[in-house]
Amino acid sequence: MNGDVRVRLSAGMRLQWETAQSAYVMLYPEGMIKLNEPAGEILSRCDGRTVDALIGDLQQAFPRADLTADVITFLEEADSKGWLRTTKGEDDGY
């Protein structure tokens, strides 16, 4: 996934923090997925920013790790599952 690609959750997908589970969950019409901490941290930043900006934000939050390869791998997997909408260039505001 290219660094200038913008990522957001797909229509019908909703991310929320569940206090009872101490975890982010992804809600969608067919059900719910409990996410591990890294997945929640990544998906919580899929708000229309570029992949590069998302990785930069994560690097600031977790400065001791080189996260680039793992984040891109996760985003590609999430995109293949239909969790994300990706656009290239300017944010389309959706």
Side-chain angles (χ1 to χ4, degrees):
M1 185 169 290
N2 207 338
D4 62 345
V5 169
R6 293 184 179 276
V7 290
R8 21 175 107 246
L9 298 180
S10 291
M13 305 299 278
R14 188 176 72 181
L15 182 70
Q16 72 182 38
W17 177 258
E18 284 291 326
T19 304
Q21 297 187 41
S22 294
Y24 279 104
V25 295
M26 177 77 75
L27 303 171
Y28 59 102
E30 297 84 24
M32 177 186 87
I33 300 168
K34 181 180 177 184
L35 302 169
N36 64 24
E37 185 177 351
E41 290 290 339
I42 295 167
L43 290 175
S44 70
R45 290 166 170 82
C46 291
D47 55 5
R49 67 183 85 186
T50 64
V51 171
D52 284 344
L54 186 151
I55 291 169
D57 189 46
L58 286 167
Q59 285 295 160
Q60 285 185 329
F62 305 98
R64 294 185 183 169
D66 181 11
L67 306 171
T68 302
D70 291 337
V71 171
I72 290 173
T73 298
F74 176 81
L75 290 173
E76 288 172 345
E77 181 70 20
D79 188 39
S80 74
K81 292 180 178 184
W83 296 0
L84 299 176
R85 177 175 179 203
T86 59
T87 55
K88 190 158 171 109
E90 293 297 314
D91 187 3
D92 61 4
Y94 113 100

